[in-house]
């Protein structure tokens, strides 16, 4: 019998996780099956319990259940505790381990795939929701020169900064505060691109040779990446690499093996 894994969310039919994990298991010769589970908005914990009773070994968790996944975990990794959100569950009979691989996936994509150094750089993280919160600790561990969190609702950026107060180079902001400042790495962790929108960024925030990174992916450049290109950002990336890298981190947690991400990123890119 293959070991059972799944991604759970609502909606879920668009998820690329089953395809990614099928490629990883083929590549590493694992006897496993990975499916997609649509849970009703109020039925997350029941669906997880049913999957566990059925012998499920692990789950990826996506919108809108990452906070609930954190609450039902009986143990959290350091990254999940810092993010206060869980995108990966490892299940066994008496424990639900909650992990967050989104942020480490982002950082691996920036550092290993895009060859960008975070250490000593001026980083702007846009957004203060689940994705931004998951990205913070892995970004901070690379010791940027400063990390500005900008959010439409500034209070949420302030709350996020306060959670990481021991890092004294984190600055909360709203978009107007950014005028007159330049950044080497600008990461869009808002959901604005999902609706074809762009946060109200002032001009001239991209330093020479800067990287503009949108966590969102899809066909064609997002409004943020279009803006970045017009503003002179040289290096542009969507979130496909992050998606595959966060999946690889989940796979490593479950199977103890790190799959090769390059061929899977290339395969997904050729499909968009
Ligand atoms: P949340 O709903 O938790 O947070 C949304 C954030 O976007 C908030 O900070 C919100 O600001 C901001 N926002 C929404 N609309 C606008 C707008 N028009 N202008 C400015 N700010 C706006 O979402 P998540 O954090 O879970 O996801 C964010 C993005 O990251 C999504 O696009 C998602 O697809 C992507 N993602 C990609 C992953 C990958 O592997 N590539 C993994 C995880 C997420 P406010 O607080 O003011 O409302």
């Amino acid at each position: 019998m293959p070991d059972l894994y799944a991604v759970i969310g609502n909606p879920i039919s668009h998820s690329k996780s089953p395809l990614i994990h099928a490629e990883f298991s083929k590549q590493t010769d694992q006897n496993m099956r990975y499916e997609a589970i649509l849970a009703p908005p109020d039925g997350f914990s029941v669906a997880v319990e049913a999957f566990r009773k059925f012998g499920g070994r692990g789950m990826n968790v996506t919108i809108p259940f990452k906070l609930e996944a954190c609450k039902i975990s009986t143990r959290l990794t350091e990254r999940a505790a810092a993010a206060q959100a869980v995108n990966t569950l490892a299940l066994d009979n008496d424990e639900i381990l909650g992990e967050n691989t989104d942020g480490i996936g982002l950082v691996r994509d920036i550092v290993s795939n895009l060859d960008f150094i975070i250490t000593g750089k001026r980083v702007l993280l846009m957004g203060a929701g689940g994705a931004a919160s998951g990205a913070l600790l892995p970004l901070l561990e690379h010791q940027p020169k400063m990390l500005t969190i900008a959010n439409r609702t500034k209070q949420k950026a302030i709350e996020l900064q306060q959670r990481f107060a021991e890092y004294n180079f984190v600055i909360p902001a709203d978009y107007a505060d950014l005028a007159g400042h330049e950044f080497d790495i600008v990461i869009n962790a808002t959901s604005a691109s999902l609706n074809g929108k762009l946060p109200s960024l002032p001009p001239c925030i991209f330093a020479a040779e800067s990287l503009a990174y949108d966590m969102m992916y899809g066909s064609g450049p997002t409004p943020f990446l279009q803006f970045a290109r017009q503003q002179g950002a040289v290096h542009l990336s969507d979130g496909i690499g992050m998606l595959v890298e966060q999946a690889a981190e989940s796979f490593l947690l479950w199977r103890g093996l790190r799959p090769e991400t390059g061929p899977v990123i290339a395969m997904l890119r050729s499909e968009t």
Side-chain angles (χ1 to χ4, degrees):
M1 282 287 283
D3 293 337
L4 269 187
Y5 297 87
V7 58
I8 182 167
N10 188 333
I12 202 62
S13 56
H14 67 287
S15 174
K16 295 186 188 302
S17 293
L19 178 63
I20 295 170
H21 283 280
E23 288 299 316
F24 287 167
S25 63
K26 220 189 300 169
Q27 200 192 91
T28 55
D29 206 15
Q30 298 293 293
N31 186 21
M32 59 184 278
R33 206 174 85 212
Y34 188 106
E35 56 196 42
I37 296 175
L38 176 72
D42 58 353
F44 173 71
S45 58
V46 172
V48 172
E49 207 36 48
F51 186 68
R52 183 156 80 136
K53 289 222 169 89
F54 195 67
R57 302 276 297 269
M59 298 180 108
N60 284 127
V61 181
T62 186
I63 288 173
F65 299 126
K66 290 184 185 181
L67 295 183
E68 220 177 323
C70 191
K71 288 196 189 120
I72 66 157
S73 298
T74 55
R75 188 160 66 90
L76 292 174
T77 64
E78 187 192 356
R79 285 196 295 244
Q84 292 180 16
V86 158
N87 79 330
T88 305
L89 297 171
L91 309 170
D92 70 25
N93 289 334
D94 32 50
E95 180 174 89
I96 301 177
L97 174 66
E99 165 66 301
N100 189 309
T101 65
D102 282 335
I104 192 75
L106 166 75
V107 165
R108 284 189 72 88
D109 194 34
I110 292 175
V111 173
S112 305
N113 299 335
L114 302 173
D115 235 354
F116 248 81
I117 294 165
I118 296 170
T119 310
K121 295 291 165 63
R122 296 161 295 177
V123 176
L124 170 60
L125 181 64
M126 293 155 51
S133 159
L136 262 174
L137 183 62
L139 284 170
L140 291 170
E141 283 171 345
H142 277 255
Q143 295 281 328
K145 182 175 181 190
M146 58 184 242
L147 194 153
T148 304
I149 308 167
N151 197 44
R152 185 174 58 179
T153 314
K154 186 173 178 178
Q155 184 53 31
K156 285 197 213 161
I158 294 171
E159 283 160 19
L160 210 45
Q161 179 263 332
Q162 285 167 347
R163 266 174 37 205
F164 293 86
E166 76 262 36
Y167 296 91
N168 59 7
F169 49 89
V170 181
I171 300 157
D174 60 23
Y175 294 112
D177 294 335
L178 303 177
H181 297 276
E182 280 192 344
F183 301 91
D184 305 299
I185 301 177
V186 181
I187 300 163
N188 185 11
T190 75
S191 52
S193 296
L194 283 173
N195 305 312
K197 297 211 167 114
L198 175 72
S200 11
L201 284 167
C204 309
I205 59 163
F206 295 95
E209 292 301 316
S210 56
L211 167 68
Y213 192 103
D214 201 327
M215 288 191 184
M216 159 93 176
Y217 49 85
S219 52
T222 65
F224 167 66
L225 292 180
Q226 289 173 37
F227 172 81
R229 190 166 46 203
Q230 284 156 13
Q231 289 285 319
V234 184
H235 308 279
L236 308 174
S237 179
D238 68 11
I240 286 266
M242 172 181 177
L243 176 75
V244 176
E245 293 295 343
Q246 63 77 28
E249 288 292 324
S250 302
F251 192 90
L252 174 65
L253 175 75
W254 295 329
R255 309 301 297 182
L257 291 165
R258 179 182 290 288
E260 273 203 55
T261 50
V264 183
I265 295 172
M267 184 193 76
L268 291 182
R269 285 218 184 284
S270 71
E271 285 179 355
T272 54

